[in-house]
Amino acid sequence: MAHSIELRPLNLKNFQSRHMYAYADTFSQITGNNSVLFRMGKGQKLFNDGFVSSISFTEPDHAANENFVINCKVRAEMKKRVTYQPSVEIRTTCQIITAKCTCRAGSAPSYCKHTFALLHAMEYDVRMSAQTVRNGLHSAGLKARTPRKKPYISEVTRKRRLEFAMNYKNKPMDFWKKVIFSDESKSKIFTPPSIRKIWRQNKTALESKNVVPTLKHGGGNVMVWRCVANNGASNLAFIDNKMNVLAVHKVLKFHYIVAHVLLMFTKQVYK
């Protein structure tokens, strides 16, 4: 059964460049032709330029076969619509047994540039461990951090808020002295500590020091409202029902600013 190397890692952790050189050296000894090193370089360039794709492999069946068979597709450099399909047979010890390719020079054993492009891709995927990825991210100045939590703002709301801010950014101070800013907030009565992990010994999971207390539905919640203006702030108001325009006017009526100074001079209310 063939597996995609993108979905399932190739279990050849010890595969290195020396195995490619050993395979190329076999060709040089048999034929006396040293052009194989040039083909290795061309294969490296094909891989670096992104000509290799669709890498798949068949795992060895130890009952009948102890070899991996790795396949891929390599686009031709000069012919955009032409794709070659090299295939490599390799032992679990990383020794390359043979290779073939659908190109003109790819008869088994193949030493064409498309075969070496596949071998370079194999080495890259095998050597690209999780730590290698982390090192690359660190070198780019990236660190693993817990994301900050912010209220969700849709794109439509974001544009409306920006438009609102642009319309009022040049208003004089006399205008803002006649404005009340209000907001409401909901808080849970019982909030468990935000503990992600703990250090504990085996068989101590249910000890009191190792558990996080919880309550059904968070133990309930309470919503409060308050407003502020140039002359001061209002008292804290507790909201029993859903907060809407009617609730805001009701709160303003019964929880106005000390000596109702704000309500006397305020013409607008912004939430």
Side-chain angles (χ1 to χ4, degrees):
M1 179 180 178
H3 305 282
S4 172
I5 205 169
E6 298 177 354
L7 303 177
R8 186 170 179 176
L10 181 61
N11 190 20
L12 287 173
K13 297 181 179 179
N14 297 322
F15 185 77
Q16 299 175 4
S17 299
R18 61 185 177 87
H19 296 101
M20 276 189 285
Y21 283 104
Y23 179 68
D25 187 59
T26 303
F27 172 81
S28 299
Q29 291 178 3
I30 295 174
T31 64
N33 190 340
N34 294 323
S35 64
V36 66
L37 296 178
F38 174 75
R39 297 177 187 178
M40 287 183 64
K42 292 286 288 183
Q44 177 75 65
K45 186 176 185 302
L46 284 174
F47 168 69
N48 292 339
D49 292 345
F51 282 78
V52 181
S53 63
S54 303
I55 305 175
S56 62
F57 65 95
T58 303
E59 288 185 313
D61 182 3
H62 295 285
N65 182 22
E66 295 185 356
N67 303 329
F68 283 94
V69 178
I70 299 98
N71 307 278
C72 79
K73 293 181 180 180
V74 180
R75 290 186 291 108
E77 288 184 287
M78 305 303 294
K79 303 175 182 178
K80 295 183 178 180
R81 296 184 179 181
V82 178
T83 301
Y84 301 110
Q85 298 181 10
S87 175
V88 173
E89 187 174 353
I90 182 172
R91 289 197 176 102
T92 54
T93 58
C94 297
Q95 179 186 358
I96 301 172
I97 302 173
T98 187
K100 60 182 179 180
C101 182
T102 57
C103 70
R104 184 175 299 179
S107 58
S110 171
Y111 298 90
C112 65
K113 60 184 179 182
H114 310 111
T115 298
F116 285 110
L118 171 57
L119 293 174
H120 282 295
M122 288 169 50
E123 181 194 15
Y124 176 83
D125 284 304
V126 169
R127 294 170 64 87
M128 186 56 66
S129 64
Q131 186 59 47
T132 303
V133 175
R134 284 193 289 268
N135 293 339
L137 293 173
H138 292 165
S139 64
L142 301 175
K143 304 293 182 182
R145 295 288 186 267
T146 302
R148 304 292 176 87
K149 294 182 178 180
K150 292 183 62 178
Y152 170 74
I153 302 177
S154 66
E155 192 63 27
V156 175
T157 304
R158 193 187 305 274
K159 292 180 180 179
R160 289 177 178 175
R161 289 189 176 188
L162 178 60
E163 183 181 357
F164 175 88
M166 297 301 292
N167 290 337
Y168 288 92
K169 70 174 184 177
N170 295 322
K171 292 291 184 179
M173 183 57 65
D174 291 339
F175 172 83
W176 295 112
K177 288 181 180 180
K178 300 178 180 180
V179 175
I180 290 179
F181 294 92
S182 68
D183 198 8
E184 65 277 352
S185 177
K186 181 188 291 186
S187 300
K188 290 183 178 180
I189 296 176
F190 177 81
T191 303
S194 57
I195 299 176
R196 295 289 183 89
K197 293 183 179 180
I198 62 171
W199 292 92
R200 64 173 179 82
Q201 296 176 336
N202 291 336
K203 299 181 180 181
T204 62
L206 297 180
E207 291 186 5
S208 58
K209 63 181 179 181
N210 294 331
V211 299
V212 177
T214 61
L215 285 178
K216 265 191 174 182
H217 312 296
N221 56 71
V222 60
M223 178 176 286
V224 295
W225 175 93
R226 201 174 194 185
C227 67
V228 63
N230 180 65
N231 293 351
S234 70
N235 296 323
L236 195 65
F238 293 89
I239 310 301
D240 298 327
N241 301 318
K242 184 177 180 180
M243 196 66 178
N244 50 32
V245 177
L246 297 177
V248 170
H249 286 285
K250 183 178 179 180
V251 169
L252 285 173
K253 181 178 180 181
F254 294 100
H255 300 277
Y256 52 85
I257 308 302
V258 179
H260 65 272
V261 173
L262 291 180
L263 294 181
M264 291 173 57
F265 297 97
T266 299
K267 299 292 182 66
Q268 302 184 55
V269 176
Y270 292 121
K271 292 183 65 182

